[in-house]
Each structure stands twice: as structure tokens, then as C-alpha cells.
Amino acid sequence: MSIVRWDPFRELEDMSDRLNRVFGKSGVRSQAGQESMTVADWTPPVDICETEREYLIKTDLPELKREDVKITIQEGVLTLFGERKLEQEEKGKKFHRVERSYGSFWRTFSLPDNVDETRVTAEFRDGVLTLHLPKSEKARSRTIDIKVG
């Protein structure tokens, strides 16, 4: 059994990290206790599925417009950026509870080698962003007939 020196600041940092996780905030901390990596204010959920011809990524982005979202592909990495702004209190309008997430977000995905990056398309309808990532022609499987000799 070893003796561990009590560090009240480490315990406060641990408690702060736990509270941040409960309230949906997280960060990577360095040894000095400084936040060493910026994190998104919220993370929209995604569904990823695969068909014979393509990969599909769907993400829920309620109350966002097409102009609020940016999509990039660079060196095999797909990145989604965006921001949902918090409504401002107006005269005669008072918020009693705000539970929905607001602020900036980004999601990154490493693309499989068989994605044809030049043919990726996106559509935005009813608050759902759908990305179509077609597979390259040579990556698709095909059936080979076996001839009896």
C-alpha cells in the first residue's frame, strides 16, 4: 500500500470535471489544470449507414439554416461546422428554463478509402442534414461467374 499526498486542488478539479460532464461540457486538461483543447458547445447526433453504393450520414440540426452549416473534406476527413444562436430575451418575454444546447459545434469523420470525395453531396431538409458519400466505382464489389471447364 502506498501513501498518496492529498492535493485539495486536484480534488476540486476532479469535482469540476464531473459537474461539467453532468451539464454536458467537457474539456481535456493538461497537467497544470489549464484547458488544453477547445471543445464544442454542443454536439448534434448523427446516424451513419452504408449501402452497396454509398455511405449516408444524417445529422439533426433543428432551427439551423443551410447558411449556418459548413462542410469541408480535406485529406480524407469530413468536417461539419455550425452554430445555433441562443434566443435573446425581449421585452415581455422571460425565459424560465433553457435546456436545449446552443453555440458552435463541429463533428469530424475519417472517411473510408473507398469514398469518392469528388462526388459527395449534401441536402438539408426539415432540420436534417443528409450527406451522400458515394463509393468509388472500382471499390464496389461485383460477382464473377465461374466457368466449368
Side-chain angles (χ1 to χ4, degrees):
M1 179 156 57
S2 63
I3 297 176
V4 178
R5 172 176 260 162
W6 179 61
D7 182 358
F9 296 107
R10 185 180 65 227
E11 288 188 20
L12 285 172
E13 184 177 284
D14 290 344
M15 184 171 53
S16 174
D17 289 343
R18 279 186 251 143
L19 284 171
N20 284 336
R21 281 194 302 271
V22 167
F23 292 109
K25 301 279 185 188
S26 64
V28 176
R29 299 207 179 270
S30 66
Q31 293 289 27
Q34 301 296 322
E35 194 161 302
S36 62
M37 187 173 102
T38 307
V39 295
D41 294 326
W42 67 291
T43 305
V46 298
D47 291 340
I48 302 174
C49 67
E50 178 181 3
T51 67
E52 183 179 315
R53 298 191 157 284
E54 69 180 352
Y55 296 94
L56 270 148
I57 299 177
K58 288 185 176 184
T59 184
D60 292 338
L61 300 172
E63 296 185 358
L64 265 71
K65 297 180 181 115
R66 186 177 63 124
E67 305 84 47
D68 298 331
V69 181
K70 182 178 178 186
I71 304 164
T72 63
I73 297 178
Q74 186 175 8
E75 298 179 13
V77 177
L78 172 79
T79 304
L80 306 175
F81 302 93
E83 182 176 8
R84 182 165 60 191
K85 294 182 173 53
L86 178 64
E87 282 186 60
Q88 299 299 318
E89 286 195 22
E90 302 166 8
K91 187 174 184 177
K93 183 178 183 183
K94 184 172 158 183
F95 288 97
H96 293 280
R97 183 177 294 201
V98 177
E99 293 182 350
R100 298 185 305 153
S101 298
Y102 295 92
S104 61
F105 72 88
W106 64 91
R107 298 290 308 258
T108 58
F109 305 94
S110 295
L111 299 178
D113 292 335
N114 63 345
V115 169
D116 185 351
E117 294 180 12
T118 62
R119 295 179 35 226
V120 172
T121 60
E123 57 189 69
F124 193 73
R125 184 177 27 222
D126 298 329
V128 177
L129 175 67
T130 303
L131 297 164
H132 298 270
L133 301 124
K135 294 179 181 178
S136 62
E137 291 294 327
K138 59 184 169 185
R140 291 192 194 145
S141 63
R142 60 186 180 97
T143 304
I144 301 171
D145 291 332
I146 302 172
K147 296 180 182 178
V148 178

